[in-house]
Amino acid sequence: MATPSAPSSSLPPPKPQQSSSASSPLSPPPSILIIGSGVFGLTTAYALSRRHDFANTTITVVDRADPSNPDVFPAPDAASVDTSRIIRADYPDAAYAALAAEAQLQWRQQTHPDDLGSEGRYSESGLLVVADGPAPPPGTPVVPGTSVIDKSKLTGMDYARFSWANVLSLASSDPELAARIKECPNTDAIKAALGTGGSSGSWGYINGLSGWANAGASMAWLYKRVRAEGRINFVAGEVTNLEVSGNTVTGARLSDGRVLSADLVMVSAGAWTGRLVDLTGQAIATGQVLGYIDLTPEEEAQLAHMPVILNLSTGLFVIPPKNGVLKVARHAYGYLNPTTLSVPPLTSSVTTPAAAVSLPLTALTDPTLQIPTEGADDLRRALHEMVPLPSLRDRPFSKTRICWYSDTPTADFIVDYHPEYKGLFVATGDSGHAFKFLPVIGEKIADVIAGQCPPEFVGKWNWNYPASDAAIKTVITEDGSRGGVPGLILSTELERTSSALN
């Protein structure tokens, strides 16, 4: 727990640690430098700062700060900073479903103003999971507790059905969950569960214990607690490359020439990780479209009781309105932004990095940036289908954004030591679904740093070099949750948008 003078915390207490020689094959290093202050970076810094074994370890976090306030992390264009993120334990893989259910216990704490879920940080609206395609016949059995071994080439219906199986498994020991889940076997049932007059998909289910979080407010909550620990140093700066001596990473160089040295460097820079470490064949930065529409008080009241709806076949989803704003987005294959680097990333002996690396382009670096017409049209289609209020049909978006994922082929995270460089640990590959684990993921990453990867994630979170030339050439997430078209180049789509307007 935090000290009496610090804000209370609803994050789980630190794990009791024996001496490192007894409980871990790895001794805590004298110093750790964490590059990135998103969910992976901040939660890991917090977890390590509360572990007895790391009591003598100096912990530093470096990242781009908010330009308008250099003392606030992360930067406003980070994937973890937004009005909303879906909070769900609805996964086709039992390991992630169980971990998300563990996180939900923390999100649901709302007794005290300092609890994670309080003050509007978490809204339990329910989640309607749907998919397109042939619906299973009524009474089709499911196998609870499914752990999908091969997640490649799943369909949206596969993802939905496996998720339903795992939710049923969780419900078998949770009476409250059991009372708040319901299969929606056809479009009429989906329409009734959605309650907006719209529908989507041919089969699905509703989970009343899922919902959404105010991502920006939740990150501010976390940052406040990390600061209150009094053990973590924050440095505002842009890391350009890792410092290496032989086969040992010794620190990081910043754009202003400063060098930060450490015995262990953890790169958790999200979609920017590929700028520092060659992730060829393992992860790639993809841009996702988000749109926001202003509502009248009357319109917001009409939609006040709708659940989050997520179509796993199209990737399109809508989050219930809050403060007069409705958000629609697409969880897709995403846009690529090939970028030539003046300083190449840290290479490996197995792969040759591409001449250009996909890296984020955001409104922070280009204030005129808008989403491509291709994406805007798809968001508009989602609104017409899922929230068919006549008054919204032609209303323009009040704001749009491109949010950047670090995508892996199977949507598994990468949480591991680099196999070729000493002193380098990588935590990335969020694949657009990491935020919900904010209350618990730091402890899991800290376990891996200590040499104790949770057994259920051994093999899933490992550093995996691509197994074939085809895998090296491209990374496409085929876990069954994505919509859109693979391989779209952002600059090409923006040029098409500009040409259509002129």
Side-chain angles (χ1 to χ4, degrees):
M1 292 292 293
T3 60
S5 61
S8 67
S9 169
S10 64
L11 289 174
K15 290 187 175 183
Q17 296 288 305
Q18 298 175 328
S19 67
S20 60
S21 60
S23 65
S24 171
L26 300 171
S27 298
S31 59
I32 295 178
L33 174 64
I34 298 175
I35 301 172
S37 60
V39 169
F40 283 179
L42 270 189
T43 61
T44 303
Y46 189 69
L48 292 174
S49 73
R50 303 167 78 204
R51 291 195 173 198
H52 175 73
D53 278 4
F54 289 81
N56 296 318
T57 298
T58 300
I59 304 170
T60 301
V61 175
V62 59
D63 201 356
R64 301 168 306 122
D66 186 335
S68 64
N69 189 346
D71 291 326
V72 174
F73 295 82
D77 60 351
S80 53
V81 179
D82 190 20
T83 60
S84 52
R85 288 288 182 270
I86 298 174
I87 305 299
R88 61 183 172 97
D90 305 82
Y91 273 92
D93 188 309
Y96 287 100
L99 185 62
E102 181 183 339
Q104 280 187 309
L105 295 176
Q106 304 298 325
W107 283 110
R108 301 185 73 205
Q109 290 189 15
Q110 299 178 325
T111 304
H112 189 278
D114 281 335
D115 287 341
L116 175 56
S118 293
E119 299 184 330
R121 286 183 288 268
Y122 175 64
S123 299
E124 197 162 271
S125 61
L127 168 66
L128 180 56
V129 175
V130 301
D132 298 330
T140 300
V142 294
V143 180
T146 301
S147 184
V148 180
I149 303 302
D150 182 7
K151 287 184 276 190
S152 63
K153 299 297 182 181
L154 289 182
T155 67
M157 187 62 77
D158 292 333
Y159 192 113
R161 294 289 293 173
F162 282 127
S163 294
W164 175 237
N166 286 324
V167 168
L168 289 176
S169 179
L170 293 171
S172 66
S173 58
D174 185 341
E176 184 179 8
L177 175 59
R180 296 182 64 183
I181 58 174
K182 182 180 180 181
E183 184 179 4
C184 299
N186 52 50
T187 55
D188 289 341
I190 292 169
K191 183 176 182 178
L194 181 55
T196 64
S199 187
S200 182
S202 58
W203 179 90
Y205 69 91
I206 188 163
N207 183 344
L209 286 195
S210 293
W212 61 276
N214 182 325
S218 300
M219 287 301 292
W221 176 93
L222 173 62
Y223 178 63
K224 181 179 179 181
R225 275 139 192 81
V226 174
R227 279 287 198 187
E229 287 295 304
R231 284 207 52 216
I232 298 163
N233 306 311
F234 282 86
V235 176
E238 182 176 4
V239 176
T240 58
N241 61 279
L242 301 179
E243 292 286 291
V244 181
S245 176
N247 69 336
T248 301
V249 172
T250 61
R253 181 175 295 274
L254 308 188
S255 58
D256 60 8
R258 286 179 293 168
V259 174
L260 304 178
S261 299
D263 298 282
L264 177 64
V265 175
M266 170 175 153
V267 181
S268 52
W272 284 264
T273 302
R275 177 179 180 178
L276 304 176
V277 181
D278 178 23
L279 296 173
T280 300
Q282 295 193 83
I284 195 167
T286 66
Q288 314 291 329
V289 291
L290 289 66
Y292 307 81
I293 287 187
D294 291 338
L295 303 181
T296 65
E298 294 75 19
E299 290 164 342
E300 182 169 359
Q302 281 183 271
L303 303 175
H305 301 294
M306 70 172 288
V308 177
I309 177 170
L310 168 62
N311 187 315
L312 291 163
S313 298
T314 64
L316 294 167
F317 64 93
V318 177
I319 290 180
K322 189 72 174 287
N323 299 324
V325 178
L326 181 71
K327 174 182 168 182
V328 56
R330 184 178 66 183
H331 182 64
Y333 295 108
Y335 303 115
L336 305 180
N337 184 41
T339 305
T340 302
L341 298 176
S342 57
V343 180
L346 191 66
T347 59
S348 75
S349 63
V350 177
T351 61
T352 301
V357 177
S358 182
L359 291 175
L361 175 65
T362 75
L364 196 62
T365 51
D366 180 3
T368 67
L369 182 64
Q370 298 291 321
I371 64 174
T373 298
E374 178 275 336
D377 288 347
D378 222 13
L379 298 188
R380 186 66 61 181
R381 178 168 67 90
L383 282 173
H384 291 172
E385 181 180 72
M386 299 173 176
V387 190
L389 298 186
S391 58
L392 300 184
R393 177 165 292 277
D394 298 314
R395 185 173 301 172
F397 293 115
S398 56
K399 175 187 173 183
T400 62
R401 179 187 177 189
I402 299 178
C403 177
W404 290 88
Y405 296 173
S406 173
D407 270 340
T408 67
T410 60
D412 287 308
F413 307 149
I414 300 172
V415 182
D416 202 358
Y417 284 92
H418 196 289
E420 296 185 53
Y421 291 92
K422 298 177 182 178
L424 177 59
F425 187 89
V426 178
T428 191
D430 60 90
S431 301
H433 69 100
F435 183 86
K436 66 181 66 64
F437 299 106
L438 181 150
V440 295
I441 193 64
E443 284 291 339
K444 303 302 181 184
I445 295 174
D447 284 344
V448 181
I449 289 174
Q452 300 169 329
C453 182
E456 64 272 25
F457 292 109
V458 172
K460 298 180 189 292
W461 288 358
N462 290 38
W463 183 276
N464 290 308
Y465 283 120
S468 66
D469 290 341
I472 290 175
K473 292 177 182 178
T474 186
V475 171
I476 299 175
T477 304
E478 296 280 14
D479 69 335
S481 69
R482 302 305 178 98
V485 179
L488 294 180
I489 303 300
L490 179 59
S491 60
T492 301
E493 296 306 316
L494 290 174
E495 288 172 5
R496 289 175 177 166
T497 299
S498 179
S499 297
L501 294 175
N502 293 331

